[in-house]
Amino acid sequence: VVACQTKAHSSTGLFAGSLAVAPAKDNLLTVADRLRSDEGIFILDSETKSELNDAVSELEAVSNPPSNVDYESFFEGDWTLVCTTATASSKSGSPFGKDKLKLPFVGEIEIPEILQDVRKSVNNRLKVTQRISSSSRIDHILEIEPANELTDIIPSGVPEPLSMLADLNLNPLEVTGAKVTLIHKAEVQSVTPVLRTKLGLESVVVSAAGTSQYLDTAGADLLGVNLPLGEFLNAGTFDTTYMDDTLRISRGKVGVVEQLRVFVKDSSSADESDAEITSVTVDETEMSVEVEMEVSDDEKDEESPSADDETATNDESSSSSSDKYMKNRADDGRMPPP
């Protein structure tokens, strides 16, 4: 019963009672996936930022903030960043457009196609995960897939005079993956009415994996740096405005920069939760089976006669049969009656 209730709550999400939540959530995921495909994880264009913010605001408007139950059930785990925006509080807006750049005293200039290709390529090779291990530690993990040649970064073609470097090996150490982990000290300042978390950057760890003789194929830490006073100099807070078993929205502010982030729960985290639930179910089932077996054994003990009873019964039966046999023999004259 416990497992069924948990799975039902997980599948419907926190706000299943509101009919408006499901379509708003689906719309946000559709918009976020499309923007990530077009712009990458870090959205710079002002119009695109507004489109994402509108989709997020729509979901926030029809849902309730996370409750204590949701915090306990969903907060911890690996959350993959779908896309994020950083907007200055000033009214000047972002200097970036989809294909233009605003510069002071110059105005708008066209962003060369090659730079657009580089930006998209880097975004496609980058994965950002927020790993919430506990209420006191949160890591930001940046995983990078290295490029081997210039054509990997500029798929549209390497222009002159860089064409002669198109086949240049950009990865002589044969790195297959690089990872930068930003380790934060965390503090959950409140859960309700606002789920607010404070972060302070404490250390940075750089890891890499590769096939050359200098690197471990499984990956190993190459560099670790502790940051003194990081809790004070590199601190910030973020509010979780929506959260269920698959989607989380956070808003934060660092200085004058407002941040909006859309996360989806890593499938492995969900699988681990399901595994724990399944384990509990199996244990409870086995326990109930054992109880039933014990009860059945007790009932059998009560119903089945003991060995002494069986012996006595057999003796009585044997005696009765012997008496009857002796009487029959006396009746037919073969043996005098006793």
Side-chain angles (χ1 to χ4, degrees):
V1 175
V2 173
C4 292
Q5 290 177 344
T6 305
K7 286 183 177 292
H9 181 70
S10 174
S11 61
T12 56
L14 171 61
F15 312 112
S18 175
L19 297 177
V21 171
K25 176 181 175 180
D26 291 341
N27 177 64
L28 172 58
L29 289 173
T30 300
V31 170
D33 286 338
R34 175 171 53 80
L35 296 182
R36 177 191 173 94
S37 178
D38 295 342
E39 303 293 327
I41 295 176
F42 302 100
I43 298 176
L44 303 177
D45 173 50
S46 299
E47 294 181 2
T48 309
K49 288 181 180 181
S50 297
E51 184 179 3
L52 178 65
N53 186 71
D54 291 344
V56 169
S57 298
E58 179 185 352
L59 177 57
E60 291 172 335
V62 297
S63 61
N64 296 316
S67 65
N68 284 285
V69 174
D70 301 300
Y71 168 71
E72 295 290 342
S73 302
F74 308 131
F75 189 62
E76 294 184 7
D78 286 1
W79 293 91
T80 301
L81 181 63
V82 181
C83 53
T84 179
T85 66
T87 306
S89 302
S90 63
K91 298 181 179 180
S92 60
S94 171
F96 293 95
K98 289 186 177 180
D99 52 5
K100 294 182 180 181
L101 177 66
K102 295 179 181 178
L103 296 177
F105 309 110
V106 177
E108 290 186 348
I109 62 171
E110 294 286 338
I111 298 178
E113 184 178 355
I114 183 175
L115 295 182
Q116 296 182 43
D117 286 345
V118 170
R119 186 182 71 177
K120 291 181 180 179
S121 177
V122 170
N123 272 319
N124 292 333
R125 293 176 176 277
L126 179 65
K127 178 183 178 182
V128 180
T129 302
Q130 187 177 65
R131 174 168 296 167
I132 304 178
S133 304
S134 66
S135 59
S136 60
R137 174 171 173 175
I138 295 179
D139 297 345
H140 292 165
I141 304 172
L142 288 73
E143 298 178 75
I144 305 168
E145 178 188 350
N148 295 318
E149 299 177 349
L150 274 179
T151 51
D152 295 335
I153 302 177
I154 312 174
S156 62
V158 181
E160 296 290 347
L162 299 178
S163 58
M164 64 181 65
L165 302 176
D167 298 328
L168 179 66
N169 184 8
L170 301 180
N171 189 13
L173 293 179
E174 301 176 358
V175 178
T176 56
K179 182 167 66 176
V180 178
T181 304
L182 308 177
I183 301 174
H184 297 80
K185 178 181 179 181
E187 178 188 355
V188 178
Q189 296 181 322
S190 64
V191 177
T192 58
V194 178
L195 177 50
R196 177 165 296 166
T197 308
K198 180 180 178 181
L199 294 181
L201 183 61
E202 288 190 324
S203 56
V204 179
V205 178
V206 179
S207 310
T211 56
S212 72
Q213 59 179 334
Y214 305 104
L215 297 173
D216 189 337
T217 55
D221 295 344
L222 303 180
L223 176 66
V225 179
N226 292 324
L227 302 178
L229 303 178
E231 183 178 356
F232 304 100
L233 301 179
N234 300 286
T237 60
F238 68 87
D239 296 344
T240 298
T241 59
Y242 177 90
M243 179 172 61
D244 60 19
D245 57 338
T246 59
L247 175 66
R248 183 165 64 86
I249 300 170
S250 72
R251 292 182 181 270
K253 189 171 183 180
V254 179
V256 296
V257 178
E258 297 177 353
Q259 298 176 338
L260 169 63
R261 294 173 178 173
V262 178
F263 297 91
V264 292
K265 195 68 169 285
D266 192 291
S267 57
S268 60
S269 296
D271 292 342
E272 289 175 2
S273 299
D274 290 341
E276 292 176 359
I277 294 170
T278 305
S279 175
V280 172
T281 306
V282 171
D283 292 341
E284 290 178 351
T285 304
E286 291 177 351
M287 183 174 63
S288 63
V289 171
E290 291 176 0
V291 172
E292 289 178 0
M293 291 179 65
E294 290 177 1
V295 171
S296 300
D297 291 341
D298 293 340
E299 291 175 351
K300 288 180 180 179
D301 291 342
E302 293 177 0
E303 294 175 358
S304 58
S306 63
D308 295 338
D309 293 339
E310 289 181 356
T311 303
T313 303
N314 291 336
D315 291 343
E316 291 176 359
S317 178
S318 298
S319 256
S320 178
S321 299
S322 298
D323 293 344
K324 187 181 294 185
Y325 173 73
M326 296 296 288
K327 184 177 184 301
N328 290 338
R329 287 180 64 86
D331 290 342
D332 60 14
R334 288 176 293 175
M335 185 173 179

